[in-house]
Every structure is written in C-alpha cells, then in structure tokens.
C-alpha cells in the first residue's frame, strides 16, 4: 500500500481502538500491531496521537475539498462541511471518544485548535470565499463556529442520513450570514461630503 493508504489504515486502527479503550487508552504502536501494520513504518509516518490528528485533519480537508462543483458559495460550503463530517462519521466511535477526552488531553486539544482555523480557511477558499485581511479572518473564525456547532449536533445525531446534523449546519450558516451582514452594515462609513460652493 502507498503512504496515503497506510496512513488511512493506521488512522482507522487508532480510532477503532479508541472506540473501545477511550482516546487516552490508545497508543499508535499498539494500534499498528493490532492491525497488522508495519510498526517501523508507523513510526516514520505517524509517531504519536498528535501527529495522527494532524494527518487526519489533512485527509479530512482533502475529502471535503474533493469534487467541488458549481453553485452558490453557501451551497458549496454546506457540501464541503458535510463531506468533512462524513470523514468523522466513518470513525464515529473513535472520534466521539476523542472529543470526550479533550478536556483531559491538552496536547490533542491544542493540535485540534491550531489546525482548525487553517482547515476552515481552506474550506472557505475551496468554496470561492476570500479569507484575506480582517474581513477574511472574521469569516474564518465564523466558519470555525459553524464547524463546532455542526460537530456538536453530529455527536448527538443517531439518524442514518444525519438529518439533524444537516439542519444544524444550515442554521449555523444562516446565523453566520446574518452576522456578516450586520457587521458590514455597522462598519460601512459614508464618505463626508465636500465643502459646498455657492
């Protein structure tokens, strides 16, 4: 298998183990051994849980950005986010174990926090939405809020079609659009009129 296939197999092994033993009970070498993966290669590719989270984030972004089509930016963002959610859904038990363990695992929490803003910028730009400057930074932070709200809904969504997750995402996007519109209105400055001559 190539490197990407190996990484996916190792990620699956780690999350499968986390679903049983909890995130804090997982070690990458043990997961690799259990899955029959070469431990030396695992050491070279993904040596610890934090490295695994970074790689998982990259793969999730790639999956989210694949197959972007035409359409309004909002629709594209919706589809991109749901494709990223699909990556979480594929490892549901392990990802939920990870999320529950974050208050007790500062290193993993830091990796997710630092990587998430970069991911959100990629997702927005993938939909053709500019993320440069102050306005772009605010959009990226708003997108992070949308993502976190959606993930929270996903955690409690037991439906096969993830209908509750999609409804939460739609609601969060609407709120983000309203917030941006309000910000644009409040920061609009009317140029002063020049001196009158008469």
């Amino acid at each position: 298998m190539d490197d990407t296939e190996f990484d996916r197999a190792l990620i699956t092994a780690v999350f499968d183990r986390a679903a049983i033993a909890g995130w804090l009970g997982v070690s990458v070498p043990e997961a690799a051994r259990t899955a029959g993966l070469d431990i030396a290669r695992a050491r070279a590719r993904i040596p610890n849980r934090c490295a695994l989270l970074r790689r998982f984030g990259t793969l999730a972004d790639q999956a989210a950005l694949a197959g972007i089509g035409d359409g309004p930016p909002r629709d594209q963002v919706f589809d991109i986010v749901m494709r990223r959610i699909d990556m979480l859904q594929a490892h549901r038990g392990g990802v939920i174990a990870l999320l529950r363990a974050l208050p007790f695992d500062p290193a993993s929490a830091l990796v997710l926090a630092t990587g998430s803003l970069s991911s959100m910028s990629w997702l927005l730009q993938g939909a053709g939405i500019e993320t440069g400057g102050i306005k772009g930074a605010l959009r990226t932070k708003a997108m992070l809020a949308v993502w976190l709200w959606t993930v929270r809904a996903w955690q409690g969504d037991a439906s096969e079609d993830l209908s509750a997750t999609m409804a939460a995402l739609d609601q969060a996007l609407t709120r983000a659009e309203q917030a941006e519109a309000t910000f644009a209105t409040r920061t609009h400055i009317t140029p002063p009129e020049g001196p009158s001559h008469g």
Side-chain angles (χ1 to χ4, degrees):
M1 65 177 71
D2 63 23
D3 285 343
T4 298
E5 292 171 336
F6 183 88
D7 293 350
R8 289 181 182 277
L10 185 54
I11 287 168
T12 297
V14 169
F15 279 129
D16 284 351
R17 180 61 184 163
I20 298 170
W23 178 250
L24 298 178
V26 174
S27 76
V28 174
E30 177 188 7
R33 186 182 300 109
T34 301
L37 299 171
D38 184 82
I39 295 180
R41 190 176 182 184
R43 172 65 181 85
R45 297 289 307 163
I46 302 176
N48 52 53
R49 291 196 306 260
C50 288
L52 183 132
L53 291 179
R54 285 190 286 269
R55 182 61 174 141
F56 181 62
T58 298
L59 291 174
D61 290 347
Q62 291 173 346
L65 295 167
I68 294 176
D70 297 325
R74 187 188 195 281
D75 293 347
Q76 293 189 45
V77 170
F78 185 95
D79 291 341
I80 286 170
V81 172
M82 285 309 301
R83 283 196 292 270
R84 203 168 195 267
I85 287 290
D86 287 341
M87 279 288 288
L88 272 59
Q89 183 70 5
H91 307 284
R92 184 175 181 86
V95 172
I96 289 177
L98 161 65
L99 295 174
R100 289 174 176 168
L102 288 180
F104 313 101
D105 186 356
S108 293
L110 180 61
V111 168
L112 291 180
T114 55
S116 291
L117 277 177
S118 176
S119 291
M120 296 306 107
S121 178
W122 270 100
L123 299 192
L124 286 172
Q125 292 183 72
I129 299 172
E130 179 58 48
T131 61
I134 296 175
K135 187 174 183 179
L138 291 173
R139 281 176 175 165
T140 301
K141 289 182 178 179
M143 187 66 222
L144 179 59
V146 168
W147 171 253
L148 293 175
W149 179 265
T150 305
V151 169
R152 182 178 178 181
W154 168 79
Q155 285 182 260
D157 188 353
S159 65
E160 292 186 5
D161 61 357
L162 298 180
S163 56
T165 302
M166 289 190 285
L169 171 56
D170 186 66
Q171 181 184 52
L173 288 174
T174 297
R175 288 179 176 175
E177 288 174 333
Q178 292 171 344
E180 180 166 349
T182 299
F183 175 79
T185 300
R186 290 179 177 176
T187 57
H188 179 70
I189 301 175
T190 302
E193 295 182 2
S196 60
H197 300 282

